[in-house]
Amino acid sequence: MGRSRGFSLIEAMVGIVVGMIAVLIISQTFMTFEGSKQTTLTGADAQENGLMAINQIEQDLRNAGVGLAEMGLHECNAFFTYDPVTGAPIAGFTTAPVTITDGGAGGSDTIVTRTASFLGSVPAYLAASVAAPIAAGASLPLDRDATLNIASGDLVLVEDGGNCVVLQVDDMADPKAPRLKTGSSFNPPVAFQISASPAWPSLNLNAKVFGFGRGDVAGPGWSTHAYSVGAAQTLRVAITQLGVAGTTQDTVRNVVSLQAQYGIADANSESVNGWVDATGEWAAPDVEHVRRIKAVRVTVVTRSQKREPAVVTAVAPAPGVDAAADWDHYRYKAYTTTVALRNVLWPDIK
């Protein structure tokens, strides 16, 4: 019977080398597969974020102008408002359903949508004039057929020949003659009305009166949603309502660019025949320009979460993206949508 023999040193070393080569091949295959998997997942992540961001903005654009569709609200050449915190007019107050602030050559734009609680088909009218300056506790005499549904604490907007005055009512004992709230956050002192430039106007017979909803508590009223790109590359929305503390939320991550344009029509037309940036005469649209805005075009660009070892993007997908470090080591998705402002189109505002 022969003696049993084990592996020799050379055989063991050969076996170890073969095993190491096998492990190396398996590891390399796994790493390649995992890299492809991560690239696919991060690309899907950018796609998902882009779809969520564009959908969120699109939904708000479709709702823009709710409560602001009556033609009288788009005849305001000058707004007279009061903010007790600043002792100045309410910042950014307008009845325009949508406004865009251009971010410049290398920045993202800001889109602001607005809604209000006025849902009636016709406004009420003043049955008598109200002289300026408007005293606290003064009444707003409404025509006897008025059906304006307002309650104590509500805001009203009075449109008179292009002048639009925002006030707050309190005493509703006589619904045809609501009184202005004394000590209101929104009814300015007489001295402020006189010293303002221009001074606050008198309100004349047959001026239109719109109910704007709650003024100093949570509830339906004039509100805005402002979309922008946050410093941490997120889609940021700032929500404000008159008299209520605003909130700011970062809703979608890895958003690197937000660009928008107005779709404009010729005067007395509803057909969009051009697209313009919010610059020049469109940087702060007056009443005539607001009437011509019929649609908004939005582009959102998102970035993958994973930084690739090699350069994977040769051309910046949007202005300013290439200002970030290693921007070309990330993958990007761009989504564009066009939204007709249906709450402007339906009433045929011209």
Side-chain angles (χ1 to χ4, degrees), residues 39 41-51 53 229 231-235 252-257 300-308 312-313 317 320-335:
T39 298
L41 290 177
T42 54
D45 183 55
Q47 180 176 352
E48 181 179 341
N49 288 338
L51 290 172
V229 175
Q233 295 186 327
T234 58
L235 180 66
V252 182
R253 63 180 182 174
N254 292 322
V255 176
V256 296
S257 180
V300 172
V301 180
T302 55
R303 192 188 76 175
S304 61
Q305 179 71 25
K306 181 178 181 291
R307 180 191 182 280
E308 301 288 349
V312 293
T313 301
V321 172
D322 52 0
D326 293 339
W327 67 271
D328 49 358
H329 287 258
Y330 294 88
R331 301 180 187 274
Y332 299 86
K333 296 287 185 180
Y335 293 89

mmCIF file of all heavy atoms in Angstrom, residues 39 41-51 53 229 231-235 252-257 300-308 312-313 317 320-335:
data_model
loop_
_atom_site.group_PDB
_atom_site.id
_atom_site.type_symbol
_atom_site.label_atom_id
_atom_site.label_comp_id
_atom_site.label_asym_id
_atom_site.label_seq_id
_atom_site.Cartn_x
_atom_site.Cartn_y
_atom_site.Cartn_z
ATOM 1 N N THR A 39 -25.290 53.850 -11.874
ATOM 2 C CA THR A 39 -25.529 54.844 -12.918
ATOM 3 C C THR A 39 -26.987 54.827 -13.356
ATOM 4 O O THR A 39 -27.618 55.868 -13.530
ATOM 5 C CB THR A 39 -24.613 54.586 -14.122
ATOM 6 O OG1 THR A 39 -23.257 54.721 -13.713
ATOM 7 C CG2 THR A 39 -24.899 55.575 -15.244
ATOM 8 N N LEU A 41 -29.553 53.700 -11.585
ATOM 9 C CA LEU A 41 -30.403 54.155 -10.489
ATOM 10 C C LEU A 41 -30.358 55.663 -10.326
ATOM 11 O O LEU A 41 -31.388 56.310 -10.099
ATOM 12 C CB LEU A 41 -29.987 53.465 -9.181
ATOM 13 C CG LEU A 41 -30.296 51.974 -9.077
ATOM 14 C CD1 LEU A 41 -29.762 51.409 -7.770
ATOM 15 C CD2 LEU A 41 -31.807 51.731 -9.176
ATOM 16 N N THR A 42 -29.142 56.249 -10.422
ATOM 17 C CA THR A 42 -29.048 57.700 -10.261
ATOM 18 C C THR A 42 -29.682 58.416 -11.441
ATOM 19 O O THR A 42 -30.265 59.489 -11.288
ATOM 20 C CB THR A 42 -27.584 58.139 -10.098
ATOM 21 O OG1 THR A 42 -26.817 57.631 -11.203
ATOM 22 C CG2 THR A 42 -26.998 57.632 -8.809
ATOM 23 N N GLY A 43 -29.568 57.811 -12.645
ATOM 24 C CA GLY A 43 -30.262 58.389 -13.789
ATOM 25 C C GLY A 43 -31.758 58.347 -13.592
ATOM 26 O O GLY A 43 -32.473 59.306 -13.906
ATOM 27 N N ALA A 44 -32.245 57.231 -13.040
ATOM 28 C CA ALA A 44 -33.676 57.125 -12.738
ATOM 29 C C ALA A 44 -34.075 58.105 -11.651
ATOM 30 O O ALA A 44 -35.185 58.664 -11.675
ATOM 31 C CB ALA A 44 -33.996 55.692 -12.314
ATOM 32 N N ASP A 45 -33.171 58.335 -10.690
ATOM 33 C CA ASP A 45 -33.441 59.297 -9.620
ATOM 34 C C ASP A 45 -33.594 60.698 -10.188
ATOM 35 O O ASP A 45 -34.503 61.442 -9.807
ATOM 36 C CB ASP A 45 -32.304 59.244 -8.599
ATOM 37 C CG ASP A 45 -32.559 60.164 -7.404
ATOM 38 O OD1 ASP A 45 -33.618 60.029 -6.776
ATOM 39 O OD2 ASP A 45 -31.696 61.013 -7.113
ATOM 40 N N ALA A 46 -32.708 61.078 -11.106
ATOM 41 C CA ALA A 46 -32.813 62.394 -11.746
ATOM 42 C C ALA A 46 -34.105 62.500 -12.543
ATOM 43 O O ALA A 46 -34.766 63.545 -12.557
ATOM 44 C CB ALA A 46 -31.604 62.627 -12.655
ATOM 45 N N GLN A 47 -34.474 61.409 -13.215
ATOM 46 C CA GLN A 47 -35.716 61.402 -13.984
ATOM 47 C C GLN A 47 -36.929 61.560 -13.074
ATOM 48 O O GLN A 47 -37.835 62.345 -13.357
ATOM 49 C CB GLN A 47 -35.818 60.103 -14.772
ATOM 50 C CG GLN A 47 -37.081 59.980 -15.606
ATOM 51 C CD GLN A 47 -37.085 58.718 -16.448
ATOM 52 O OE1 GLN A 47 -36.093 58.013 -16.530
ATOM 53 N NE2 GLN A 47 -38.217 58.430 -17.059
ATOM 54 N N GLU A 48 -36.935 60.824 -11.973
ATOM 55 C CA GLU A 48 -38.055 60.906 -11.037
ATOM 56 C C GLU A 48 -38.173 62.296 -10.434
ATOM 57 O O GLU A 48 -39.271 62.854 -10.335
ATOM 58 C CB GLU A 48 -37.861 59.868 -9.934
ATOM 59 C CG GLU A 48 -38.989 59.840 -8.910
ATOM 60 C CD GLU A 48 -38.774 58.789 -7.843
ATOM 61 O OE1 GLU A 48 -37.980 57.856 -8.074
ATOM 62 O OE2 GLU A 48 -39.390 58.913 -6.775
ATOM 63 N N ASN A 49 -37.039 62.879 -10.042
ATOM 64 C CA ASN A 49 -37.062 64.218 -9.470
ATOM 65 C C ASN A 49 -37.551 65.247 -10.478
ATOM 66 O O ASN A 49 -38.317 66.156 -10.143
ATOM 67 C CB ASN A 49 -35.667 64.607 -8.968
ATOM 68 C CG ASN A 49 -35.274 63.854 -7.717
ATOM 69 O OD1 ASN A 49 -36.125 63.356 -6.991
ATOM 70 N ND2 ASN A 49 -33.981 63.757 -7.467
ATOM 71 N N GLY A 50 -37.096 65.100 -11.735
ATOM 72 C CA GLY A 50 -37.534 66.027 -12.768
ATOM 73 C C GLY A 50 -39.032 65.955 -13.008
ATOM 74 O O GLY A 50 -39.702 66.982 -13.143
ATOM 75 N N LEU A 51 -39.569 64.737 -13.051
ATOM 76 C CA LEU A 51 -41.008 64.572 -13.262
ATOM 77 C C LEU A 51 -41.815 65.132 -12.102
ATOM 78 O O LEU A 51 -42.855 65.775 -12.295
ATOM 79 C CB LEU A 51 -41.336 63.092 -13.471
ATOM 80 C CG LEU A 51 -40.846 62.482 -14.788
ATOM 81 C CD1 LEU A 51 -41.066 60.973 -14.793
ATOM 82 C CD2 LEU A 51 -41.553 63.131 -15.970
ATOM 83 N N ALA A 53 -40.874 67.560 -10.029
ATOM 84 C CA ALA A 53 -40.759 69.019 -10.023
ATOM 85 C C ALA A 53 -41.636 69.658 -11.087
ATOM 86 O O ALA A 53 -42.387 70.603 -10.816
ATOM 87 C CB ALA A 53 -39.291 69.415 -10.220
ATOM 88 N N VAL A 229 -35.055 77.824 -7.305
ATOM 89 C CA VAL A 229 -34.052 76.818 -6.996
ATOM 90 C C VAL A 229 -33.298 77.266 -5.756
ATOM 91 O O VAL A 229 -32.715 78.349 -5.729
ATOM 92 C CB VAL A 229 -33.077 76.607 -8.169
ATOM 93 C CG1 VAL A 229 -31.969 75.630 -7.776
ATOM 94 C CG2 VAL A 229 -33.829 76.091 -9.388
ATOM 95 N N ALA A 231 -30.496 77.175 -2.507
ATOM 96 C CA ALA A 231 -29.031 77.137 -2.477
ATOM 97 C C ALA A 231 -28.499 75.712 -2.445
ATOM 98 O O ALA A 231 -27.392 75.435 -2.909
ATOM 99 C CB ALA A 231 -28.522 77.918 -1.269
ATOM 100 N N ALA A 232 -29.261 74.782 -1.891
ATOM 101 C CA ALA A 232 -28.830 73.380 -1.796
ATOM 102 C C ALA A 232 -29.314 72.566 -2.992
ATOM 103 O O ALA A 232 -29.420 71.349 -2.910
ATOM 104 C CB ALA A 232 -29.342 72.763 -0.504
ATOM 105 N N GLN A 233 -29.595 73.243 -4.110
ATOM 106 C CA GLN A 233 -30.059 72.593 -5.337
ATOM 107 C C GLN A 233 -31.326 71.783 -5.095
ATOM 108 O O GLN A 233 -31.397 70.571 -5.321
ATOM 109 C CB GLN A 233 -28.954 71.728 -5.944
ATOM 110 C CG GLN A 233 -27.754 72.538 -6.420
ATOM 111 C CD GLN A 233 -26.730 71.718 -7.145
ATOM 112 O OE1 GLN A 233 -26.533 70.547 -6.845
ATOM 113 N NE2 GLN A 233 -26.060 72.308 -8.124
ATOM 114 N N THR A 234 -32.341 72.483 -4.612
ATOM 115 C CA THR A 234 -33.656 71.896 -4.400
ATOM 116 C C THR A 234 -34.702 72.789 -5.050
ATOM 117 O O THR A 234 -34.468 73.991 -5.264
ATOM 118 C CB THR A 234 -33.985 71.784 -2.898
ATOM 119 O OG1 THR A 234 -33.920 73.095 -2.305
ATOM 120 C CG2 THR A 234 -33.015 70.852 -2.193
ATOM 121 N N LEU A 235 -35.831 72.203 -5.397
ATOM 122 C CA LEU A 235 -36.961 73.013 -5.829
ATOM 123 C C LEU A 235 -37.609 73.570 -4.573
ATOM 124 O O LEU A 235 -38.078 72.822 -3.716
ATOM 125 C CB LEU A 235 -37.971 72.173 -6.610
ATOM 126 C CG LEU A 235 -39.203 72.953 -7.096
ATOM 127 C CD1 LEU A 235 -38.808 73.993 -8.135
ATOM 128 C CD2 LEU A 235 -40.246 72.003 -7.678
ATOM 129 N N VAL A 252 -38.246 69.089 -3.820
ATOM 130 C CA VAL A 252 -37.593 68.112 -4.696
ATOM 131 C C VAL A 252 -36.093 68.384 -4.693
ATOM 132 O O VAL A 252 -35.666 69.524 -4.865
ATOM 133 C CB VAL A 252 -38.129 68.191 -6.144
ATOM 134 C CG1 VAL A 252 -37.472 67.126 -7.012
ATOM 135 C CG2 VAL A 252 -39.644 68.028 -6.172
ATOM 136 N N ARG A 253 -35.279 67.339 -4.509
ATOM 137 C CA ARG A 253 -33.832 67.525 -4.436
ATOM 138 C C ARG A 253 -33.190 67.445 -5.812
ATOM 139 O O ARG A 253 -33.782 66.982 -6.779
ATOM 140 C CB ARG A 253 -33.216 66.465 -3.520
ATOM 141 C CG ARG A 253 -33.391 65.047 -4.024
ATOM 142 C CD ARG A 253 -32.764 64.043 -3.079
ATOM 143 N NE ARG A 253 -32.884 62.679 -3.591
ATOM 144 C CZ ARG A 253 -32.334 61.624 -3.023
ATOM 145 N NH1 ARG A 253 -31.640 61.768 -1.908
ATOM 146 N NH2 ARG A 253 -32.483 60.422 -3.553
ATOM 147 N N ASN A 254 -31.929 67.899 -5.866
ATOM 148 C CA ASN A 254 -31.097 67.831 -7.069
ATOM 149 C C ASN A 254 -31.722 68.536 -8.268
ATOM 150 O O ASN A 254 -31.628 68.070 -9.406
ATOM 151 C CB ASN A 254 -30.771 66.374 -7.425
ATOM 152 C CG ASN A 254 -29.859 65.719 -6.404
ATOM 153 O OD1 ASN A 254 -28.944 66.368 -5.884
ATOM 154 N ND2 ASN A 254 -30.102 64.457 -6.093
ATOM 155 N N VAL A 255 -32.366 69.666 -8.020
ATOM 156 C CA VAL A 255 -32.855 70.530 -9.097
ATOM 157 C C VAL A 255 -31.813 71.625 -9.299
ATOM 158 O O VAL A 255 -31.515 72.380 -8.373
ATOM 159 C CB VAL A 255 -34.228 71.137 -8.752
ATOM 160 C CG1 VAL A 255 -34.670 72.110 -9.843
ATOM 161 C CG2 VAL A 255 -35.264 70.036 -8.569
ATOM 162 N N VAL A 256 -31.249 71.718 -10.493
ATOM 163 C CA VAL A 256 -30.142 72.647 -10.721
ATOM 164 C C VAL A 256 -30.537 73.858 -11.558
ATOM 165 O O VAL A 256 -29.797 74.841 -11.603
ATOM 166 C CB VAL A 256 -28.953 71.926 -11.388
ATOM 167 C CG1 VAL A 256 -28.400 70.854 -10.462
ATOM 168 C CG2 VAL A 256 -29.350 71.319 -12.732
ATOM 169 N N SER A 257 -31.683 73.807 -12.212
ATOM 170 C CA SER A 257 -32.069 74.950 -13.043
ATOM 171 C C SER A 257 -33.582 74.988 -13.240
ATOM 172 O O SER A 257 -34.223 73.949 -13.405
ATOM 173 C CB SER A 257 -31.384 74.883 -14.413
ATOM 174 O OG SER A 257 -31.753 75.986 -15.226
ATOM 175 N N VAL A 300 -37.315 72.414 -16.364
ATOM 176 C CA VAL A 300 -36.657 72.028 -15.117
ATOM 177 C C VAL A 300 -35.517 71.069 -15.448
ATOM 178 O O VAL A 300 -35.710 70.125 -16.217
ATOM 179 C CB VAL A 300 -37.645 71.351 -14.147
ATOM 180 C CG1 VAL A 300 -36.905 70.781 -12.934
ATOM 181 C CG2 VAL A 300 -38.707 72.335 -13.696
ATOM 182 N N VAL A 301 -34.335 71.321 -14.896
ATOM 183 C CA VAL A 301 -33.178 70.448 -15.090
ATOM 184 C C VAL A 301 -32.782 69.856 -13.743
ATOM 185 O O VAL A 301 -32.601 70.590 -12.762
ATOM 186 C CB VAL A 301 -31.984 71.211 -15.688
ATOM 187 C CG1 VAL A 301 -30.782 70.269 -15.869
ATOM 188 C CG2 VAL A 301 -32.360 71.841 -17.025
ATOM 189 N N THR A 302 -32.670 68.526 -13.692
ATOM 190 C CA THR A 302 -32.262 67.834 -12.470
ATOM 191 C C THR A 302 -30.936 67.116 -12.695
ATOM 192 O O THR A 302 -30.567 66.812 -13.829
ATOM 193 C CB THR A 302 -33.327 66.821 -12.017
ATOM 194 O OG1 THR A 302 -33.606 65.921 -13.106
ATOM 195 C CG2 THR A 302 -34.600 67.526 -11.596
ATOM 196 N N ARG A 303 -30.246 66.830 -11.603
ATOM 197 C CA ARG A 303 -28.931 66.202 -11.647
ATOM 198 C C ARG A 303 -28.955 64.875 -10.908
ATOM 199 O O ARG A 303 -29.677 64.713 -9.927
ATOM 200 C CB ARG A 303 -27.900 67.134 -10.995
ATOM 201 C CG ARG A 303 -26.460 66.744 -11.209
ATOM 202 C CD ARG A 303 -25.535 67.606 -10.380
ATOM 203 N NE ARG A 303 -25.542 67.208 -8.967
ATOM 204 C CZ ARG A 303 -24.753 67.732 -8.036
ATOM 205 N NH1 ARG A 303 -23.919 68.694 -8.365
ATOM 206 N NH2 ARG A 303 -24.816 67.311 -6.793
ATOM 207 N N SER A 304 -28.157 63.924 -11.369
ATOM 208 C CA SER A 304 -28.058 62.643 -10.683
ATOM 209 C C SER A 304 -27.381 62.828 -9.334
ATOM 210 O O SER A 304 -26.594 63.753 -9.130
ATOM 211 C CB SER A 304 -27.270 61.645 -11.533
ATOM 212 O OG SER A 304 -25.945 62.115 -11.751
ATOM 213 N N GLN A 305 -27.668 61.958 -8.412
ATOM 214 C CA GLN A 305 -27.081 62.025 -7.078
ATOM 215 C C GLN A 305 -25.610 61.593 -7.099
ATOM 216 O O GLN A 305 -24.780 62.140 -6.376
ATOM 217 C CB GLN A 305 -27.867 61.118 -6.127
ATOM 218 C CG GLN A 305 -27.349 61.079 -4.699
ATOM 219 C CD GLN A 305 -27.605 62.376 -3.955
ATOM 220 O OE1 GLN A 305 -28.531 63.118 -4.285
ATOM 221 N NE2 GLN A 305 -26.772 62.665 -2.968
ATOM 222 N N LYS A 306 -25.273 60.636 -7.948
ATOM 223 C CA LYS A 306 -23.936 60.036 -7.962
ATOM 224 C C LYS A 306 -22.968 60.829 -8.834
ATOM 225 O O LYS A 306 -23.282 61.186 -9.965
ATOM 226 C CB LYS A 306 -24.021 58.598 -8.478
ATOM 227 C CG LYS A 306 -22.693 57.847 -8.519
ATOM 228 C CD LYS A 306 -22.911 56.421 -9.001
ATOM 229 C CE LYS A 306 -21.611 55.627 -9.037
ATOM 230 N NZ LYS A 306 -20.702 56.120 -10.082
ATOM 231 N N ARG A 307 -21.782 61.087 -8.281
ATOM 232 C CA ARG A 307 -20.711 61.692 -9.057
ATOM 233 C C ARG A 307 -19.942 60.590 -9.772
ATOM 234 O O ARG A 307 -19.442 59.656 -9.155
ATOM 235 C CB ARG A 307 -19.753 62.476 -8.164
ATOM 236 C CG ARG A 307 -18.605 63.136 -8.913
ATOM 237 C CD ARG A 307 -17.559 63.660 -7.958
ATOM 238 N NE ARG A 307 -16.480 64.320 -8.662
ATOM 239 C CZ ARG A 307 -15.455 63.709 -9.265
ATOM 240 N NH1 ARG A 307 -15.394 62.370 -9.233
ATOM 241 N NH2 ARG A 307 -14.510 64.393 -9.875
ATOM 242 N N GLU A 308 -19.861 60.703 -11.093
ATOM 243 C CA GLU A 308 -19.148 59.703 -11.874
ATOM 244 C C GLU A 308 -17.641 59.984 -11.830
ATOM 245 O O GLU A 308 -17.218 61.145 -11.815
ATOM 246 C CB GLU A 308 -19.625 59.725 -13.326
ATOM 247 C CG GLU A 308 -21.111 59.465 -13.500
ATOM 248 C CD GLU A 308 -21.481 58.016 -13.248
ATOM 249 O OE1 GLU A 308 -20.574 57.182 -13.152
ATOM 250 O OE2 GLU A 308 -22.692 57.731 -13.126
ATOM 251 N N VAL A 312 -18.872 62.766 -17.870
ATOM 252 C CA VAL A 312 -19.998 62.121 -18.559
ATOM 253 C C VAL A 312 -20.916 63.130 -19.245
ATOM 254 O O VAL A 312 -21.804 62.741 -19.996
ATOM 255 C CB VAL A 312 -20.817 61.265 -17.565
ATOM 256 C CG1 VAL A 312 -20.015 60.079 -17.071
ATOM 257 C CG2 VAL A 312 -21.311 62.112 -16.384
ATOM 258 N N THR A 313 -20.718 64.427 -18.991
ATOM 259 C CA THR A 313 -21.539 65.461 -19.611
ATOM 260 C C THR A 313 -20.615 66.496 -20.239
ATOM 261 O O THR A 313 -19.811 67.121 -19.535
ATOM 262 C CB THR A 313 -22.462 66.139 -18.594
ATOM 263 O OG1 THR A 313 -23.323 65.159 -18.002
ATOM 264 C CG2 THR A 313 -23.322 67.208 -19.263
ATOM 265 N N PRO A 317 -26.344 71.603 -19.501
ATOM 266 C CA PRO A 317 -27.729 71.487 -19.969
ATOM 267 C C PRO A 317 -28.569 72.746 -19.753
ATOM 268 O O PRO A 317 -29.686 72.824 -20.260
ATOM 269 C CB PRO A 317 -28.273 70.336 -19.127
ATOM 270 C CG PRO A 317 -27.478 70.397 -17.866
ATOM 271 C CD PRO A 317 -26.112 70.853 -18.263
ATOM 272 N N GLY A 320 -25.639 78.453 -16.255
ATOM 273 C CA GLY A 320 -25.171 78.472 -14.878
ATOM 274 C C GLY A 320 -24.826 77.126 -14.293
ATOM 275 O O GLY A 320 -24.168 77.057 -13.246
ATOM 276 N N VAL A 321 -25.224 76.025 -14.934
ATOM 277 C CA VAL A 321 -24.936 74.690 -14.399
ATOM 278 C C VAL A 321 -23.432 74.450 -14.340
ATOM 279 O O VAL A 321 -22.916 73.833 -13.401
ATOM 280 C CB VAL A 321 -25.637 73.600 -15.228
ATOM 281 C CG1 VAL A 321 -25.181 72.218 -14.807
ATOM 282 C CG2 VAL A 321 -27.153 73.712 -15.089
ATOM 283 N N ASP A 322 -22.703 74.947 -15.356
ATOM 284 C CA ASP A 322 -21.270 74.705 -15.417
ATOM 285 C C ASP A 322 -20.465 75.551 -14.430
ATOM 286 O O ASP A 322 -19.233 75.466 -14.391
ATOM 287 C CB ASP A 322 -20.744 74.930 -16.835
ATOM 288 C CG ASP A 322 -21.151 76.283 -17.398
ATOM 289 O OD1 ASP A 322 -21.838 77.040 -16.682
ATOM 290 O OD2 ASP A 322 -20.792 76.576 -18.552
ATOM 291 N N ALA A 323 -21.154 76.346 -13.601
ATOM 292 C CA ALA A 323 -20.452 77.110 -12.568
ATOM 293 C C ALA A 323 -20.146 76.259 -11.339
ATOM 294 O O ALA A 323 -19.294 76.625 -10.523
ATOM 295 C CB ALA A 323 -21.276 78.330 -12.166
ATOM 296 N N ALA A 324 -20.826 75.134 -11.194
ATOM 297 C CA ALA A 324 -20.609 74.254 -10.050
ATOM 298 C C ALA A 324 -19.384 73.383 -10.265
ATOM 299 O O ALA A 324 -19.056 73.007 -11.393
ATOM 300 C CB ALA A 324 -21.842 73.381 -9.813
ATOM 301 N N ALA A 325 -18.684 73.045 -9.178
ATOM 302 C CA ALA A 325 -17.501 72.189 -9.268
ATOM 303 C C ALA A 325 -17.884 70.797 -9.758
ATOM 304 O O ALA A 325 -18.899 70.228 -9.333
ATOM 305 C CB ALA A 325 -16.835 72.107 -7.897
ATOM 306 N N ASP A 326 -17.077 70.264 -10.656
ATOM 307 C CA ASP A 326 -17.262 68.899 -11.179
ATOM 308 C C ASP A 326 -18.635 68.705 -11.809
ATOM 309 O O ASP A 326 -19.174 67.593 -11.816
ATOM 310 C CB ASP A 326 -17.063 67.854 -10.066
ATOM 311 C CG ASP A 326 -15.628 67.806 -9.567
ATOM 312 O OD1 ASP A 326 -14.730 68.257 -10.300
ATOM 313 O OD2 ASP A 326 -15.419 67.313 -8.448
ATOM 314 N N TRP A 327 -19.211 69.768 -12.365
ATOM 315 C CA TRP A 327 -20.549 69.660 -12.941
ATOM 316 C C TRP A 327 -20.605 68.598 -14.046
ATOM 317 O O TRP A 327 -21.632 67.943 -14.245
ATOM 318 C CB TRP A 327 -20.991 71.004 -13.514
ATOM 319 C CG TRP A 327 -20.183 71.424 -14.717
ATOM 320 C CD1 TRP A 327 -19.021 72.143 -14.713
ATOM 321 C CD2 TRP A 327 -20.458 71.113 -16.086
ATOM 322 N NE1 TRP A 327 -18.542 72.307 -15.991
ATOM 323 C CE2 TRP A 327 -19.415 71.682 -16.862
ATOM 324 C CE3 TRP A 327 -21.466 70.410 -16.740
ATOM 325 C CZ2 TRP A 327 -19.360 71.583 -18.247
ATOM 326 C CZ3 TRP A 327 -21.423 70.302 -18.122
ATOM 327 C CH2 TRP A 327 -20.377 70.892 -18.859
ATOM 328 N N ASP A 328 -19.460 68.422 -14.768
ATOM 329 C CA ASP A 328 -19.454 67.500 -15.897
ATOM 330 C C ASP A 328 -19.283 66.042 -15.487
ATOM 331 O O ASP A 328 -19.265 65.146 -16.345
ATOM 332 C CB ASP A 328 -18.362 67.885 -16.893
ATOM 333 C CG ASP A 328 -17.010 68.115 -16.236
ATOM 334 O OD1 ASP A 328 -16.926 68.018 -14.995
ATOM 335 O OD2 ASP A 328 -16.029 68.403 -16.962
ATOM 336 N N HIS A 329 -19.198 65.778 -14.184
ATOM 337 C CA HIS A 329 -19.115 64.402 -13.685
ATOM 338 C C HIS A 329 -20.500 63.890 -13.247
ATOM 339 O O HIS A 329 -20.571 62.844 -12.600
ATOM 340 C CB HIS A 329 -18.136 64.316 -12.518
ATOM 341 C CG HIS A 329 -16.692 64.440 -12.939
ATOM 342 N ND1 HIS A 329 -15.845 63.363 -13.046
ATOM 343 C CD2 HIS A 329 -15.966 65.533 -13.298
ATOM 344 C CE1 HIS A 329 -14.653 63.784 -13.447
ATOM 345 N NE2 HIS A 329 -14.692 65.098 -13.596
ATOM 346 N N TYR A 330 -21.542 64.614 -13.578
ATOM 347 C CA TYR A 330 -22.902 64.210 -13.215
ATOM 348 C C TYR A 330 -23.752 64.080 -14.478
ATOM 349 O O TYR A 330 -23.465 64.691 -15.510
ATOM 350 C CB TYR A 330 -23.543 65.238 -12.269
ATOM 351 C CG TYR A 330 -22.875 65.312 -10.919
ATOM 352 C CD1 TYR A 330 -21.790 66.160 -10.711
ATOM 353 C CD2 TYR A 330 -23.326 64.538 -9.858
ATOM 354 C CE1 TYR A 330 -21.172 66.234 -9.464
ATOM 355 C CE2 TYR A 330 -22.717 64.608 -8.603
ATOM 356 C CZ TYR A 330 -21.637 65.453 -8.428
ATOM 357 O OH TYR A 330 -21.020 65.528 -7.194
ATOM 358 N N ARG A 331 -24.818 63.310 -14.347
ATOM 359 C CA ARG A 331 -25.774 63.146 -15.445
ATOM 360 C C ARG A 331 -26.996 64.021 -15.164
ATOM 361 O O ARG A 331 -27.367 64.237 -14.005
ATOM 362 C CB ARG A 331 -26.181 61.678 -15.595
ATOM 363 C CG ARG A 331 -24.986 60.761 -15.865
ATOM 364 C CD ARG A 331 -25.413 59.302 -16.008
ATOM 365 N NE ARG A 331 -24.240 58.435 -16.097
ATOM 366 C CZ ARG A 331 -23.594 58.165 -17.225
ATOM 367 N NH1 ARG A 331 -24.035 58.686 -18.365
ATOM 368 N NH2 ARG A 331 -22.537 57.372 -17.223
ATOM 369 N N TYR A 332 -27.641 64.497 -16.231
ATOM 370 C CA TYR A 332 -28.729 65.461 -16.093
ATOM 371 C C TYR A 332 -29.951 65.017 -16.894
ATOM 372 O O TYR A 332 -29.839 64.298 -17.890
ATOM 373 C CB TYR A 332 -28.282 66.851 -16.576
ATOM 374 C CG TYR A 332 -27.115 67.417 -15.802
ATOM 375 C CD1 TYR A 332 -25.804 67.109 -16.161
ATOM 376 C CD2 TYR A 332 -27.321 68.249 -14.707
ATOM 377 C CE1 TYR A 332 -24.731 67.613 -15.445
ATOM 378 C CE2 TYR A 332 -26.249 68.757 -13.986
ATOM 379 C CZ TYR A 332 -24.962 68.435 -14.358
ATOM 380 O OH TYR A 332 -23.902 68.926 -13.649
ATOM 381 N N LYS A 333 -31.104 65.469 -16.418
ATOM 382 C CA LYS A 333 -32.362 65.275 -17.132
ATOM 383 C C LYS A 333 -33.059 66.639 -17.233
ATOM 384 O O LYS A 333 -33.083 67.395 -16.252
ATOM 385 C CB LYS A 333 -33.278 64.288 -16.404
ATOM 386 C CG LYS A 333 -32.737 62.862 -16.311
ATOM 387 C CD LYS A 333 -32.811 62.147 -17.647
ATOM 388 C CE LYS A 333 -32.390 60.687 -17.504
ATOM 389 N NZ LYS A 333 -32.454 59.964 -18.785
ATOM 390 N N ALA A 334 -33.594 66.926 -18.402
ATOM 391 C CA ALA A 334 -34.313 68.195 -18.605
ATOM 392 C C ALA A 334 -35.743 67.896 -19.030
ATOM 393 O O ALA A 334 -35.995 67.040 -19.891
ATOM 394 C CB ALA A 334 -33.622 69.038 -19.671
ATOM 395 N N TYR A 335 -36.694 68.594 -18.422
ATOM 396 C CA TYR A 335 -38.118 68.420 -18.727
ATOM 397 C C TYR A 335 -38.742 69.779 -19.014
ATOM 398 O O TYR A 335 -38.512 70.742 -18.283
ATOM 399 C CB TYR A 335 -38.845 67.739 -17.567
ATOM 400 C CG TYR A 335 -38.402 66.319 -17.358
ATOM 401 C CD1 TYR A 335 -37.317 66.022 -16.525
ATOM 402 C CD2 TYR A 335 -39.023 65.270 -18.018
ATOM 403 C CE1 TYR A 335 -36.888 64.714 -16.347
ATOM 404 C CE2 TYR A 335 -38.596 63.959 -17.847
ATOM 405 C CZ TYR A 335 -37.527 63.694 -17.014
ATOM 406 O OH TYR A 335 -37.104 62.408 -16.848
#
